[in-house]
Amino acid sequence: MAARQIVLDTETTGLHARLGDRVIEIGCIELLGRSVSERHFHRYVNPERDIDEGAAKVHGLTAEFLADKPKFADIAKDFIDYVSGAELIIHNAAFDVEFIDRELSLVGLRKIAEYCPSVIDTLAMARELHPGKRNGLDALCERYAISNSHRTLHGALLDARLLAEVYLALTRGQESLVMELEAPSEAAVAAARVDAKKLTVLRATEDEAAAHEKILDAIDKSAKEKGGSLWRRLEG
């Protein structure tokens, strides 16, 4: 893992960079040692063209709002200074990289790969971890219990912040795979031994059993797609 990572998201005028669509918003969140830093990058960009109706419905940005914003040429140096040397983390990376490369080429700069050593595509990562499942940002937020209730429209900085949390959830535990645990001493093993015959078993009361069943009913209802509660599946 790179020492410095940048979680990046863009909003655009449409879906086709090759047909002239442009970047209208860039949002970046910095990760240092798997922690979100306070140093982020966020710019709105005047695309110098109209915005497709379908795209506007997704992000809510209008040509009128962007009319007085800087052009990409005006922010290009600040953007490159911010991301240079970092590993990029992008959801559906091919889309954003194509748009950024086009913007950089229009102002005479090199492709983003010349400034950043590598790109992690969290969509590809999620598809590998969860084959056959929905792996859009909203679906991943739901899967990993990341609150996105405030996300009524797409926004580059908000989506980058959510993606940072999703990435940390997707990769959580990887560092523990290389840890080696010391073998317990014989004394520790002996001390841990318990004579099961000497244990006192306390049975649940009728009220406690009823409360338990009520909780299992709630779990069955909320986790119906996953087969209900594990307890009842094991009992069955």
mmCIF file of all heavy atoms in Angstrom, residues 12 56 95 103 112 128 135 154 191 200:
data_model
loop_
_atom_site.group_PDB
_atom_site.id
_atom_site.type_symbol
_atom_site.label_atom_id
_atom_site.label_comp_id
_atom_site.label_asym_id
_atom_site.label_seq_id
_atom_site.Cartn_x
_atom_site.Cartn_y
_atom_site.Cartn_z
ATOM 1 N N THR A 12 -19.318 15.059 -14.591
ATOM 2 C CA THR A 12 -19.050 15.444 -15.979
ATOM 3 C C THR A 12 -20.321 15.936 -16.668
ATOM 4 O O THR A 12 -21.435 15.758 -16.165
ATOM 5 C CB THR A 12 -18.479 14.243 -16.767
ATOM 6 O OG1 THR A 12 -19.449 13.181 -16.786
ATOM 7 C CG2 THR A 12 -17.197 13.733 -16.113
ATOM 8 N N ALA A 56 -27.317 16.100 -15.717
ATOM 9 C CA ALA A 56 -27.765 17.128 -14.766
ATOM 10 C C ALA A 56 -28.701 16.536 -13.720
ATOM 11 O O ALA A 56 -28.691 16.956 -12.550
ATOM 12 C CB ALA A 56 -28.443 18.266 -15.514
ATOM 13 N N PHE A 95 -13.497 5.234 -16.385
ATOM 14 C CA PHE A 95 -14.334 6.388 -16.742
ATOM 15 C C PHE A 95 -13.653 7.698 -16.339
ATOM 16 O O PHE A 95 -13.465 8.591 -17.162
ATOM 17 C CB PHE A 95 -15.697 6.255 -16.061
ATOM 18 C CG PHE A 95 -16.633 7.415 -16.319
ATOM 19 C CD1 PHE A 95 -17.453 7.416 -17.431
ATOM 20 C CD2 PHE A 95 -16.683 8.495 -15.441
ATOM 21 C CE1 PHE A 95 -18.325 8.482 -17.673
ATOM 22 C CE2 PHE A 95 -17.544 9.565 -15.670
ATOM 23 C CZ PHE A 95 -18.357 9.552 -16.794
ATOM 24 N N GLU A 103 -8.833 16.119 -20.275
ATOM 25 C CA GLU A 103 -8.669 17.489 -19.774
ATOM 26 C C GLU A 103 -7.191 17.876 -19.731
ATOM 27 O O GLU A 103 -6.814 18.995 -20.114
ATOM 28 C CB GLU A 103 -9.290 17.621 -18.382
ATOM 29 C CG GLU A 103 -10.792 17.449 -18.324
ATOM 30 C CD GLU A 103 -11.556 18.579 -19.011
ATOM 31 O OE1 GLU A 103 -10.950 19.630 -19.321
ATOM 32 O OE2 GLU A 103 -12.772 18.404 -19.244
ATOM 33 N N ILE A 112 -2.525 11.208 -16.606
ATOM 34 C CA ILE A 112 -2.461 11.123 -15.152
ATOM 35 C C ILE A 112 -1.494 10.039 -14.689
ATOM 36 O O ILE A 112 -0.884 10.158 -13.612
ATOM 37 C CB ILE A 112 -3.878 10.889 -14.565
ATOM 38 C CG1 ILE A 112 -3.883 11.125 -13.046
ATOM 39 C CG2 ILE A 112 -4.399 9.509 -14.909
ATOM 40 C CD1 ILE A 112 -3.646 12.538 -12.629
ATOM 41 N N GLU A 128 -14.836 -8.540 -7.449
ATOM 42 C CA GLU A 128 -14.077 -9.747 -7.111
ATOM 43 C C GLU A 128 -14.492 -10.279 -5.739
ATOM 44 O O GLU A 128 -14.601 -11.483 -5.537
ATOM 45 C CB GLU A 128 -12.580 -9.441 -7.118
ATOM 46 C CG GLU A 128 -11.711 -10.663 -6.865
ATOM 47 C CD GLU A 128 -10.235 -10.356 -7.002
ATOM 48 O OE1 GLU A 128 -9.883 -9.302 -7.560
ATOM 49 O OE2 GLU A 128 -9.423 -11.186 -6.542
ATOM 50 N N ASN A 135 -22.687 -3.560 -7.029
ATOM 51 C CA ASN A 135 -21.460 -3.008 -6.469
ATOM 52 C C ASN A 135 -21.289 -1.523 -6.775
ATOM 53 O O ASN A 135 -20.163 -1.019 -6.823
ATOM 54 C CB ASN A 135 -20.252 -3.801 -6.969
ATOM 55 C CG ASN A 135 -20.184 -5.185 -6.336
ATOM 56 O OD1 ASN A 135 -20.130 -5.318 -5.125
ATOM 57 N ND2 ASN A 135 -20.221 -6.220 -7.160
ATOM 58 N N HIS A 154 -25.504 13.115 -6.699
ATOM 59 C CA HIS A 154 -24.078 12.831 -6.746
ATOM 60 C C HIS A 154 -23.312 14.148 -6.591
ATOM 61 O O HIS A 154 -23.681 15.171 -7.140
ATOM 62 C CB HIS A 154 -23.699 12.196 -8.090
ATOM 63 C CG HIS A 154 -24.175 10.789 -8.227
ATOM 64 N ND1 HIS A 154 -23.322 9.726 -8.403
ATOM 65 C CD2 HIS A 154 -25.418 10.264 -8.210
ATOM 66 C CE1 HIS A 154 -24.025 8.605 -8.494
ATOM 67 N NE2 HIS A 154 -25.307 8.917 -8.385
ATOM 68 N N ALA A 191 -3.923 -23.583 32.212
ATOM 69 C CA ALA A 191 -4.774 -22.686 32.982
ATOM 70 C C ALA A 191 -6.118 -22.461 32.308
ATOM 71 O O ALA A 191 -7.116 -22.160 32.969
ATOM 72 C CB ALA A 191 -4.063 -21.348 33.186
ATOM 73 N N THR A 200 -22.016 -24.568 36.059
ATOM 74 C CA THR A 200 -23.436 -24.424 36.390
ATOM 75 C C THR A 200 -24.171 -23.878 35.171
ATOM 76 O O THR A 200 -23.774 -22.854 34.606
ATOM 77 C CB THR A 200 -23.625 -23.468 37.578
ATOM 78 O OG1 THR A 200 -22.924 -23.982 38.712
ATOM 79 C CG2 THR A 200 -25.106 -23.315 37.904
#
